[in-house]
Amino acid sequence: MVNLKKYNDVSKLFVIFLTFFFIASCSKQNYYITKIEGKRIPVTEKQIQVPQIENFIKPYREHINKDLDSVLAYCPETLDKSSGKWQTTIGNLMADVTLSRGNIVFQAREKKNIDICLLNSGGIRSILPKGNITARTAFEIMPFENSLVVIALRGEQILEMVDFFIAEKKPHPLAGVTFTIDKNNVAKNILVQGKLVQKEAIYYVGTNDYLSNGGDNMIFFKKGVQKFDLEYKLRNILIDYFKEVDTIPVIKDVRITVE
């Protein structure tokens, strides 16, 4: 038996298509886009929710929120990236933690030590607030999916790195290296792990995957002689660190001095 309703619906669609095709074919008038407008429609809790979908998602959301909001450590004071010109308390912490925890993986895999850690100040997207610290805090500080990469650089590139640091005038997180900026804005007494830099020596520098490819104009990383992807997200490094300490230290040691 023929389904008349389905047949009529198909027929109507076919007629509409032919009509549109005929009009479009016969019209000699050309149409051009003269204006495009957009409107931002925020996704808020005021939007209409479908009960079935909400009931399905609810237990997963509650489980994730429980994990994100569980207290991992305590911070005695607020750490932020505006607390200093050449180095900051949150930058010191980020660089130190990345170097130390990255070394656990690097030593296990390559039997080598990370000498220096250099990250970018712009990658820190939030403060580390005074009070209880959770995994959610780590997501706020490091919302990106950047992972830790170790680049083998010659001492010559370490000198380039220091010159870049001075020229940028930004408090990029830095660990493992110290230097003095003289009155001519030139670096001197550059030490890596307490020893003077040797131009031909190889140094292992930990950074994120974005910077390792020359991001933020850190082109000296592209001159590396070897590259190791530790597949360890910087966010997870922070979370693992928070889990292993009770109270987060406020690191104020001087790494960069100015004459």
Side-chain angles (χ1 to χ4, degrees):
M1 184 176 181
V2 178
N3 188 330
L4 293 178
K5 184 178 183 304
K6 182 177 181 180
Y7 177 80
N8 289 334
D9 289 343
V10 173
S11 299
K12 290 177 181 177
L13 288 173
F14 184 68
V15 171
I16 292 172
F17 171 76
L18 286 179
T19 304
F20 178 80
F21 180 78
F22 178 78
I23 294 173
S25 300
C26 295
S27 176
K28 294 182 180 180
Q29 185 174 357
N30 293 323
Y31 294 93
Y32 302 94
I33 297 175
T34 58
K35 186 178 182 182
I36 297 177
E37 293 183 346
K39 180 180 180 182
R40 182 179 180 183
I41 304 177
V43 178
T44 67
E45 294 181 356
K46 296 180 180 180
Q47 304 300 317
I48 299 175
Q49 297 180 344
V50 179
Q52 293 89 339
I53 297 177
E54 178 60 24
N55 291 335
F56 179 80
I57 294 175
K58 185 178 179 180
Y60 296 98
R61 180 191 296 117
E62 291 176 347
H63 178 72
I64 291 173
N65 285 335
K66 182 179 179 181
D67 286 344
L68 288 176
D69 295 327
S70 296
V71 176
L72 304 179
Y74 177 80
C75 190
E77 66 178 72
T78 297
L79 309 184
D80 61 59
K81 63 179 184 179
S82 62
S83 60
K85 180 179 179 179
W86 294 106
Q87 58 186 85
T88 65
T89 49
I90 193 170
N92 289 347
L93 179 72
M94 288 286 300
D96 283 4
V97 170
T98 302
L99 192 152
S100 62
R101 291 207 60 85
N103 250 334
I104 297 174
V105 179
F106 197 51
Q107 289 171 353
R109 290 188 185 180
E110 306 296 334
K111 310 302 180 189
K112 303 178 188 296
N113 291 317
I114 299 174
D115 299 299
I116 300 170
C117 177
L118 173 63
L119 303 173
N120 56 327
S121 177
I124 302 174
R125 292 306 177 118
S126 180
I127 63 171
L128 188 60
K130 178 180 178 179
N132 291 332
I133 301 301
T134 66
R136 189 183 297 278
T137 308
F139 274 84
E140 291 169 349
I141 294 172
M142 279 284 161
F144 311 111
E145 297 299 308
N146 293 119
S147 61
L148 178 59
V149 171
V150 177
I151 305 293
L153 294 178
R154 297 192 185 280
E156 190 173 352
Q157 276 67 62
I158 301 302
L159 299 180
E160 290 181 27
M161 181 184 77
V162 171
D163 288 342
F164 168 85
F165 197 101
I166 295 173
E168 277 277 285
K169 297 181 180 180
K170 293 180 181 178
H172 296 303
L174 186 67
V177 60
T178 61
F179 56 90
T180 297
I181 304 172
D182 68 16
K183 295 177 180 179
N184 297 315
N185 217 33
V186 176
K188 67 178 186 179
N189 196 32
I190 303 169
L191 306 178
V192 174
Q193 296 297 327
K195 298 179 181 180
L196 284 171
V197 171
Q198 303 297 317
K199 283 190 175 183
E200 296 304 318
I202 297 296
Y203 298 93
Y204 295 98
V205 184
T207 188
N208 65 50
D209 50 348
Y210 167 67
L211 299 180
S212 72
N213 292 318
D216 278 7
N217 294 317
M218 297 191 188
I219 57 175
F220 47 84
F221 277 128
K222 299 180 73 173
K223 300 178 183 179
V225 297
Q226 205 170 3
K227 184 175 183 178
F228 308 85
D229 187 347
L230 301 192
E231 300 176 334
Y232 195 179
K233 293 188 185 302
L234 298 189
R235 182 194 308 122
N236 291 342
I237 287 176
L238 272 183
I239 292 173
D240 290 343
Y241 175 74
F242 292 157
K243 288 179 178 178
E244 73 176 13
V245 299
D246 177 67
T247 302
I248 295 169
V250 181
I251 306 169
K252 297 182 178 180
D253 63 302
V254 179
R255 304 175 184 191
I256 303 168
T257 56
V258 180
E259 288 185 340

